[in-house]
Amino acid sequence: MKTTGTPRTARAVRTPGGLSFRLDVRTCTVVGLLLAAALAAGVVLIGTGDFPMSAADVLGTLVGQGGQGQEFIVRELRLPRVLVGLLVGACLGLGGALFQSISRNPLGSPDVLGLSQGATAGALAVIVLFSGSATAVTLGAFAGGLVTGIALYLLAWKQGVHGYRLVLVGIGVSAVVTAVNGYLITKADFVDASRAVVWMTGSLNGRDWTQVRPLLALCAVLVPLVLAGARGLRMLEMGDDVAHALGVRVERVRLLLMGSAVLLVAAATAAAGPVGFVALTAPQLARRLTRSPGPNLVPSLCMGATLLVTADWASQRAFGADQLPVGVVTGVLGGVYLLWLLVTERRAGRI
């Protein structure tokens, strides 16, 4: 088979303990650039608002050299919002990469599989049926996403979970849960329905440290766990039989990684609402930048964070005096990307 493109540049790295691994130079460069872009966008976003601040003032305030007013604005009002955006984007990007790799399908994202809709159902149930507080809505969204993920796994199980079946079951689950969400909206009074619609849009408005700490703790546990299973995930992409022959405990690895992805997406949705299409687009954009096979977990994580904070900046500044929820911006951009992806796949003869 004829190959095209430039050869990849990789370096072998050996640790003092005797471990060795190969380091892809292009992938590391892309990750570094994405991290720099995410941090730069975060600094710009912190300086954006009714009280504008330069990047130098923002950085000075972050290291304790700002005035009392600047300290309050940066540390209490704007920094938590930016951190939530970075963490939510990272969770969605990593969760999307896991689902697309497990399903071996570029459309196998939480938006398509029904996880975001399941989290929305949990939040709507708390709002409409119990008129719950903001904390209760967050817990309801997390529980709804978790229950939907368990149902998705059980319904797709038949001597293992295979990618094509997982996507088909996910589309069905998404349709059912979307209908449930519509029913809950029709049963809500005007105040609860308005509150529910605002939450369903996906927004970072009003986010504070109470959302940052749980997300940070969850990422601190799940991200290393997922990266530790990256080798098994690469083997799964070659098929269950090949992975089993190479010593991978297929269903155990798949269950562990799917469970991690469900928790990441459920936590992100609970914190910011159903922010659409980040989980779909981030892994694909990361793969195109790295030109690397495999799940591209770290690049997808960084791409998700960069996309979300950039979209949040655009939602505040790109439309004049009208500030849009970040979910509207990601939905528009993601919808355009999805149409482009479908046209590209059709021209390539894959659909």
Side-chain angles (χ1 to χ4, degrees):
M1 183 178 66
K2 183 179 180 180
T3 59
T4 59
T6 59
R8 302 199 59 79
T9 303
R11 295 180 179 177
V13 178
R14 298 184 182 275
T15 65
L19 298 176
S20 63
F21 56 92
R22 294 181 66 84
L23 202 61
D24 189 285
V25 176
R26 183 184 179 93
T27 299
C28 292
T29 303
V30 169
V31 168
L33 292 175
L34 287 174
L35 283 174
L39 294 177
V43 170
V44 172
L45 188 56
I46 291 174
T48 299
D50 294 334
F51 183 80
M53 298 174 61
S54 67
D57 290 337
V58 171
L59 294 175
T61 304
L62 289 175
V63 298
Q65 298 178 358
Q68 185 175 359
Q70 292 176 326
E71 290 277 349
F72 176 77
I73 291 173
V74 170
R75 296 185 181 275
E76 299 300 325
L77 299 182
R78 297 179 183 176
L79 180 59
R81 174 185 179 130
V82 171
L83 291 178
V84 170
L86 290 171
L87 291 170
V88 167
C91 288
L92 292 176
L94 183 56
L98 287 170
F99 273 113
Q100 290 180 20
S101 182
I102 290 171
S103 64
R104 285 180 277 175
N105 191 317
L107 297 178
S109 79
D111 306 302
V112 177
L113 298 179
L115 289 174
S116 299
Q117 292 85 347
T120 302
L124 289 180
V126 172
I127 293 173
V128 174
L129 301 180
F130 305 104
S131 297
S133 63
T135 301
V137 172
T138 299
L139 294 176
F142 185 80
L146 188 59
V147 170
T148 304
I150 294 172
L152 182 64
Y153 184 85
L154 294 177
L155 291 173
W157 171 270
K158 185 180 180 182
Q159 297 179 345
V161 175
H162 301 285
Y164 185 70
R165 188 186 307 124
L166 179 66
V167 173
L168 289 179
V169 170
I171 293 173
V173 169
S174 177
V176 171
V177 179
T178 299
V180 171
N181 292 342
Y183 172 78
L184 289 172
I185 289 292
T186 62
K187 291 300 181 181
D189 58 33
F190 179 78
V191 174
D192 287 340
S194 300
R195 183 183 174 197
V197 170
V198 170
W199 190 90
M200 290 171 62
T201 306
S203 174
L204 296 175
N205 292 335
R207 297 307 182 263
D208 55 29
W209 291 105
T210 58
Q211 284 87 29
V212 174
R213 296 184 184 96
L215 275 174
L216 192 59
L218 187 75
C219 289
V221 173
L222 291 182
V223 171
L225 185 65
V226 168
L227 296 182
R231 179 184 177 276
L233 187 60
R234 290 179 68 93
M235 299 299 105
L236 287 178
E237 288 190 335
M238 296 188 292
D240 289 3
D241 293 337
V242 174
H244 183 74
L246 293 173
V248 177
R249 296 182 178 181
V250 174
E251 285 308 318
R252 177 180 296 184
V253 171
R254 183 181 285 123
L255 178 60
L256 175 65
L257 295 177
M258 276 192 64
S260 299
V262 168
L263 290 173
L264 288 167
V265 173
T269 306
V275 180
F277 288 105
V278 174
L280 174 68
T281 57
Q284 294 300 312
L285 293 176
R287 179 171 295 192
R288 281 167 169 76
L289 287 177
T290 62
R291 299 179 186 175
S292 174
N296 284 279
L297 298 180
V298 176
S300 299
L301 182 152
C302 298
M303 177 62 76
T306 304
L307 284 178
L308 195 53
V309 293
T310 304
D312 192 32
W313 177 86
S315 71
Q316 294 186 53
R317 308 304 297 177
F319 301 94
D322 298 326
Q323 293 190 10
L324 299 178
V326 67
V328 174
V329 177
T330 60
V332 171
L333 297 178
V336 173
Y337 172 80
L338 179 59
L339 291 174
W340 175 84
L341 179 63
L342 292 173
V343 170
T344 302
E345 293 289 308
R346 180 179 176 84
R347 288 179 177 175
R350 288 188 284 268
I351 60 174

